[in-house]
Amino acid sequence: MRTTADVLRDREARGVALFITLEIIGLIALAAGILLFVTRAIPLSVLAIAVPALLALGGLLVLVRRGRWVGTAGVVAIVISVLATGPFVFLEWQGTDTAAAYLPKTGYPMGLILLVLTATTLQPLYPAVVTLLLTLFHGTLIFLALDDPGTMIAQLPTWQEHVMGPALHLGRVANEMAFLVGTGGIVTFSTWIARRTVLTAARLEQAAGQLSRYFSPEVAERVSTADPDFLRPGGSRRFVAVLVSDIQGFTGLSAELGPDATMRLLADYQERMTAAIFATGGSIDKYIGDGILATFGATGSLQSPCAQAVRAARAMTQALAAINAERAAAELPPIVHRIGVHAGEAMVGNVGTEERLEFTVIGDVVNLANRIEQACKTTGDAVLLSQAIVEACPDLAVARRDRPDLPGVAQPPDLFALVPAPEDVAADRSDG
């Protein structure tokens, strides 16, 4: 499974590869343009600069596409690009009678292209390196201009002499340097913001994906927008309904089917049962082998958790009927599962550490729901409800059962079998 760091590294590698590729194309075009249109250029000097740079950039591109030393390759590629294209500024100037003031006036416009291209990596290190190199390069041009005796300093407060004549206006030079540094800073900061935004969005999406594994979409949305304290270790007491289900004879069935067929059957069964639970507002606390522990009201988002748990039990019964209809068509034996439902106060919250949390329900209500499910073996019913569930849903059609002995329960509650709804009966008849 790809992590957020993997996504960012991939984006950085793609951006660096794009930057190097475009730099190779640009360097070839620049060298060809100088050879064709700059009459004073010395071909040997141009090739002496361009060819080694192209070979080095090609080698770096191979490394980046193989995913090796991406960060180092990116920085080295930037340095090579500046060192390879920067001298062309001097090639245009050499052999003329123009003072060195020409150099800072023409500047290094390709540097801004480098700055923008490195921002596509979503790694602020690269725009920062470009900004530093451009500042040093432009500073070198200014130093050479001021060191040239032929350079004149503009006398007028306006920039007319600087723009229209040979003089150098120090105010204009300072303004250009400030613009360069400011632009580089803005691009670097924007790249950092973009990286942080992508990182945050990826983490939120990953967290939402984790939540959707346990909660219905509506509940997951509520949890994801909850107070951050909700996602820290700790909990609270809350009234919840707990549903426990288990496939009858699954151990023997798995031995007959073999591992591959068993896992396919279990995946199909759990997918359909989970859909039924989510459709009624429930949450998956955990899968226990072929068993399912589901809760209703654990996040406080349900008005009637007991009624929702009963609806889930009915929906699971209908989903099992659909599975058995398919199995009957394939001349396979039916699957039988047992469901126990109970409600009461429980501890609800996160257990574990901040690095790895598990949202769960703890308390006697969970243990008793498990015992009620096991009591289905004695009563022969598919769904058993506790008295707490029946009292919360007075309109339910149920049948009282004798109070069975429940292991580990000193005072077992009254139990009631859920009378199948008409649609459940119809589904059972169609299976037969």
Side-chain angles (χ1 to χ4, degrees):
M1 179 178 177
R2 282 163 58 86
T3 64
T4 304
D6 293 333
V7 173
L8 288 175
R9 277 194 296 267
D10 182 64
R11 176 65 266 172
E12 179 181 347
R14 289 174 180 270
V16 171
L18 174 64
F19 164 73
I20 295 176
T21 301
L22 293 178
E23 182 58 27
I24 290 174
I25 296 172
L27 186 56
I28 293 174
L30 180 61
I34 290 177
L35 290 175
L36 291 175
F37 302 109
V38 180
T39 57
R40 297 181 304 276
I42 303 174
L44 188 60
S45 299
V46 174
L47 294 176
I49 296 173
V51 172
L54 290 172
L55 292 175
L57 290 172
L60 292 174
L61 183 60
V62 172
L63 286 177
V64 171
R65 287 184 172 173
R66 292 181 179 177
R68 299 179 180 177
W69 303 335
V70 174
T72 302
V75 173
V76 173
I78 293 171
V79 174
I80 291 175
S81 298
V82 174
L83 292 178
T85 56
F88 290 135
V89 176
F90 298 94
L91 290 178
E92 296 176 354
W93 170 68
Q94 284 180 340
T96 67
D97 296 330
T98 307
Y102 166 87
L103 296 175
K105 288 185 179 184
T106 55
Y108 183 51
M110 191 173 181
L112 295 179
I113 299 177
L114 298 178
L115 188 62
V116 173
L117 287 178
T118 55
T120 62
T121 62
L122 292 184
Q123 173 56 266
L125 170 66
Y126 303 126
V129 171
V130 172
T131 301
L132 176 61
L133 292 178
L134 293 182
T135 302
L136 293 175
F137 184 78
H138 203 69
T140 301
L141 297 182
I142 295 171
F143 173 79
L144 292 175
L146 295 177
D147 190 56
D148 186 356
T151 298
M152 295 183 295
I153 303 300
Q155 301 299 317
L156 298 177
T158 64
W159 292 348
Q160 179 178 352
E161 294 175 276
H162 181 95
V163 176
M164 306 298 294
L168 194 66
H169 195 295
L170 296 182
R172 176 60 183 263
V173 170
N175 181 272
E176 291 172 348
M177 282 290 288
F179 175 80
L180 172 62
V181 175
T183 302
I186 291 172
V187 173
T188 300
F189 181 72
S190 299
T191 305
W192 179 79
I193 290 294
R195 184 182 180 87
R196 295 285 297 179
T197 301
V198 171
L199 184 62
T200 302
R203 286 175 176 171
L204 288 175
E205 184 176 355
Q206 187 177 27
Q210 293 286 355
L211 291 174
S212 65
R213 293 171 56 194
Y214 304 102
F215 303 116
S216 63
E218 295 80 6
V219 175
E221 174 67 20
R222 181 181 179 276
V223 172
S224 64
T225 57
D227 187 274
D229 290 338
F230 183 86
L231 299 176
R232 296 192 179 100
S236 59
R237 294 197 65 83
R238 189 166 290 164
F239 182 84
V240 298
V242 178
L243 181 151
V244 177
S245 72
D246 188 67
I247 297 178
Q248 179 177 305
F250 183 76
T251 301
L253 179 63
S254 61
E256 295 177 6
L257 294 177
D260 291 340
T262 297
M263 296 309 294
R264 286 196 298 270
L265 170 64
L266 188 58
D268 180 54
Y269 170 81
Q270 290 181 337
E271 181 178 0
R272 301 197 199 195
M273 297 304 124
T274 299
I277 292 168
F278 282 179
T280 51
S283 306
I284 300 298
D285 187 285
K286 59 178 62 70
Y287 298 104
I288 311 169
D290 60 296
I292 299 174
L293 173 59
T295 60
F296 299 79
T299 62
S301 60
L302 297 180
Q303 297 297 324
S304 52
C306 295
Q308 297 296 83
V310 173
R311 292 192 187 98
R314 289 197 187 280
M316 293 171 70
T317 301
Q318 295 169 8
L320 182 64
I323 292 176
N324 284 332
E326 297 171 5
R327 292 180 63 81
E331 298 182 351
L332 296 173
I335 297 174
V336 178
H337 70 189
R338 303 180 296 264
I339 297 176
V341 187
H342 182 45
E345 291 283 332
M347 289 293 298
V348 177
N350 296 305
V351 295
T353 66
E354 290 192 359
E355 287 72 27
R356 189 183 189 282
L357 292 175
E358 181 177 336
F359 186 81
T360 189
V361 174
I362 302 173
D364 291 338
V365 63
V366 178
N367 299 329
L368 190 49
N370 185 58
R371 296 290 185 266
I372 293 172
E373 177 271 317
Q374 294 174 4
C376 292
K377 300 178 186 178
T378 304
T379 65
D381 297 298
V383 181
L384 279 179
L385 312 175
S386 70
Q387 185 171 352
I389 295 292
V390 174
E391 289 176 352
C393 307
D395 297 330
L396 274 182
V398 296
R400 182 185 290 272
R401 294 291 181 251
D402 293 334
R403 184 176 295 178
D405 292 331
L406 301 181
V409 181
Q411 296 181 338
D414 291 331
L415 298 183
F416 301 82
L418 180 64
V419 175
E423 57 268 25
D424 299 337
V425 176
D428 290 339
R429 288 175 179 170
S430 66
D431 295 344

